Amino acid sequence: MPFYKKIETDNAWGGIWKMTESSEELKAMLPPSSSYLKESERLSANQKRLKEFLTARVLVLTLLPGSSQIIYLPSGKPRFADGKLNLSISHTKNYVAVLFSEIGEVGIDIETISERILKLKSRIVSAHESAVSALDLLLHWSAKETAFKILDVEGLDFTKNLRVENFNCSPVRETFDMDGVFTVNCSYEQKRISTNISVRFQVEPDFVLTFAVFPLETGL
């Protein structure tokens, strides 16, 4: 079973799954009575989305056996139907990641390392942010995706409303096995949002991972 690794912090936990199974193998890992099997039928024409859907459910049930149904808000944000835990899901080539918390909103993002991100620089960072290499940009993009998932606010602009701060990119270029913390400043006057989100990051040979918990009592 390709459970890749656990994610554990003081106030959240989750895991990463490396996708190697076929859709049929993934279906066999779900309980025969699972409503996810019926739900997955609508994705049968798109094998990529089907595998992502099934892998995420297998991963959630591996970490939380018997957990309630995953549903979606109108914005597309996932939720457990019973509301007991907050949930975030992310997927990239070959990997799916999930994060749970009892105390706050959660966000997680996993991104395959690729030089193609360089073409999107103008959509990811402002001139005031320290992103030069493809790895720098991926970490900025991933951190902002994590913050975006937590805030769940329509219209957020990655270059105008989200800014990565205290990001020391020099050591990141030295190794593909490291982790740390930086801050995403979120400022959106139209929605009266002004806050900072502390984002953890991990860099591995195949991907970058970012995740965060935003305590509910903190407010925006």
Side-chain angles (χ1 to χ4, degrees):
M1 185 180 294
F3 181 82
Y4 184 75
K5 69 184 297 184
K6 286 186 177 180
I7 301 168
E8 295 182 302
T9 70
D10 292 339
N11 47 23
W13 73 100
I16 303 171
W17 188 284
K18 188 171 184 178
M19 292 188 289
T20 60
E21 304 86 356
S22 68
S23 297
E24 293 308 310
E25 289 171 326
L26 289 164
K27 288 179 181 179
M29 294 179 188
L30 293 170
S33 60
S34 173
S35 60
Y36 295 139
L37 292 172
K38 180 68 174 178
E39 193 177 349
S40 69
E41 293 177 4
R42 62 183 174 83
L43 300 173
S44 59
N46 187 327
Q47 282 299 305
K48 178 177 179 293
R49 288 190 62 198
L50 176 60
K51 284 187 66 175
E52 291 170 348
F53 175 91
L54 291 169
T55 302
R57 273 69 189 168
V58 170
L59 176 54
V60 167
L61 290 174
T62 298
L63 295 167
L64 295 173
S67 56
S68 69
Q69 182 82 2
I70 297 173
I71 60 175
Y72 289 88
L73 300 179
S75 64
K77 187 171 185 172
R79 280 279 191 249
F80 286 116
D82 63 10
K84 292 181 179 179
L85 290 173
N86 292 310
L87 164 71
S88 185
I89 301 172
S90 181
H91 39 72
T92 190
K93 183 180 179 181
N94 298 329
Y95 294 95
V96 171
V98 298
L99 191 69
F100 320 109
S101 178
E102 295 176 321
I103 70 161
E105 293 292 348
V106 289
I108 192 167
D109 188 69
I110 188 167
E111 300 286 346
T112 302
I113 294 174
S114 170
E115 295 290 320
R116 287 180 295 179
I117 195 74
L118 292 168
K119 298 179 181 180
L120 303 175
K121 183 175 181 178
S122 63
R123 302 181 189 178
I124 300 170
V125 295
S126 69
H128 304 291
E129 292 174 289
S130 303
V132 179
S133 70
L135 194 54
D136 297 344
L137 281 170
L138 276 170
L139 284 167
H140 278 68
W141 171 265
S142 188
K144 292 182 180 187
E145 279 284 341
T146 289
F148 181 83
K149 290 177 179 181
I150 288 173
L151 296 169
D152 194 30
V153 173
E154 185 179 358
L156 274 177
D157 186 290
F158 276 29
T159 61
K160 296 177 181 177
N161 305 123
L162 300 174
R163 185 177 70 253
V164 173
E165 299 178 338
N166 65 290
F167 177 75
N168 185 353
C169 55
S170 56
V172 173
R173 299 194 188 100
E174 303 295 328
T175 177
F176 283 88
D177 184 14
M178 66 171 298
D179 57 68
V181 182
F182 43 71
T183 301
V184 177
N185 174 266
C186 312
S187 180
Y188 193 10
E189 185 175 346
Q190 184 178 344
K191 300 290 184 178
R192 297 183 179 179
I193 294 173
S194 179
T195 193
N196 290 317
I197 297 176
S198 181
V199 176
R200 296 194 63 85
F201 72 87
Q202 297 177 4
V203 180
E204 301 218 4
D206 290 344
F207 60 80
V208 301
L209 176 78
T210 62
F211 56 94
V213 182
F214 194 73
L216 296 176
E217 66 271 16
T218 302
L220 300 178

